[in-house]
Amino acid sequence: MELSLIIPAFNEAQRIGPTLRRAHQFLAARPASFEILVVDDGSTDDTVALLTALAGELPGLRVLCSPANRGKGHAVRQGMLAATGHVRLFSDADGSTPIDELDPLLRALAAGADIAIGSRYLAASRVTRPQPWRRRVWSRLVNQVVQRVLLPGVVDTHCGFKAFTAAAAAHTFAACTVDGWSFDLEVLARARAHGLRIREVPVRWENDERSKARLRQLPREFRYVYRLRQQLRASGT
């Protein structure tokens, strides 16, 4: 298998159908073999029923189900470790970064990166519908702390469009434990601590007003940045 697309889903019955159809159409038109893994994170709406129906319609779509809601990080981790692709791409269910932004990430991996991450904040990035100003302030404030304390030089840690070589995915996600929203920070920090090469790539991105990120998560994000730095220092990585 050449490419695995991993999409976490929690109560995504209203958004994930169009995202999956677009992704499948795009990937099926290319010569590379692929699989799409959707990891349902204990949804309580009609997400699983929809995914089951789509699996019969879209060849290569697999559905993994968690019996309980564990968090986005847990869902992505399960998908990455269950995937079989030489390249493993994580993308959000809302498709805010469209699948046709894949090739710049693949080129970064081909050029020697172990991990290629989409970025909304590079000079060449194209944000066609920005976030509300409060969320932009929240995002930039978190990133200033992240760069100072944990991941200097990475301007966008949370964009939901990240590609890993199979070796990088297996090595990094096997060591990760964060189930919630801060999982991106742990993945990238552990990867860098182990000498993996991370390349940030400008992508096209469009805000979805139905995003589940909330400002109340900000204090937890700050606490986790410092806690993760302490854990990495204590482990000697």
Side-chain angles (χ1 to χ4, degrees):
M1 189 66 61
E2 295 181 60
L3 175 72
S4 297
L5 171 61
I6 296 99
I7 301 177
F10 175 66
N11 290 346
E12 293 288 0
Q14 301 302 312
R15 302 196 293 183
I16 199 168
T19 298
L20 286 173
R21 287 191 172 93
R22 284 194 296 269
H24 191 275
Q25 182 180 26
F26 176 84
L27 295 173
R30 298 160 66 93
S33 60
F34 71 94
E35 63 179 353
I36 301 174
L37 278 71
V38 181
V39 185
D40 180 76
D41 188 30
S43 293
T44 57
D45 67 353
D46 294 328
T47 298
V48 173
L50 173 63
L51 293 173
T52 301
L54 286 172
E57 173 188 333
L58 305 176
L61 172 61
R62 287 202 285 149
V63 182
L64 306 178
C65 293
S66 175
N69 178 231
R70 295 279 301 275
K72 184 178 181 180
H74 180 264
V76 173
R77 184 166 67 249
Q78 294 302 108
M80 283 286 178
L81 295 177
T84 60
H86 298 308
V87 172
R88 302 177 189 183
L89 172 71
F90 145 59
S91 183
D92 283 337
D94 61 9
S96 289
T97 300
I99 189 64
D100 54 16
E101 294 293 297
L102 171 63
D103 283 336
L105 272 65
L106 295 181
R107 287 194 292 269
L109 295 181
D114 300 295
I115 302 170
I117 64 175
S119 177
R120 298 162 288 183
Y121 302 124
L122 295 173
S125 303
R126 293 156 292 159
V127 177
T128 57
R129 182 188 297 162
Q131 297 169 309
W133 70 268
R134 287 184 178 85
R135 288 189 60 200
R136 291 200 301 273
V137 170
W138 169 76
S139 178
R140 295 295 79 211
L141 181 59
V142 169
N143 184 258
Q144 289 300 311
V145 175
V146 168
Q147 287 203 61
R148 182 179 296 273
V149 175
L150 199 61
L151 289 162
V154 180
V155 300
D156 189 0
T157 54
H158 282 75
C159 180
F161 203 69
K162 295 179 172 69
F164 300 73
T165 65
H171 182 78
T172 304
F173 282 93
C176 289
T177 60
V178 174
D179 290 343
W181 286 96
S182 297
F183 82 95
D184 298 89
L185 301 179
E186 182 183 32
V187 169
L188 296 178
R190 289 192 183 279
R192 178 171 281 182
H194 285 93
L196 298 181
R197 293 157 294 186
I198 301 170
R199 169 84 180 277
E200 201 164 2
V201 177
V203 294
R204 178 161 51 96
W205 185 85
E206 179 177 298
N207 182 56
D208 188 322
E209 296 297 336
R210 297 166 293 181
S211 171
K212 297 173 183 178
R214 296 292 180 266
L215 286 174
R216 64 175 177 268
Q217 296 165 337
L218 184 58
R220 184 175 60 190
E221 289 276 335
F222 285 148
R223 289 195 299 271
Y224 185 71
V225 168
Y226 287 95
R227 188 180 307 126
L228 180 56
R229 184 178 69 170
Q230 292 172 346
Q231 289 174 355
L232 291 174
R233 284 180 172 176
S235 65
T237 58

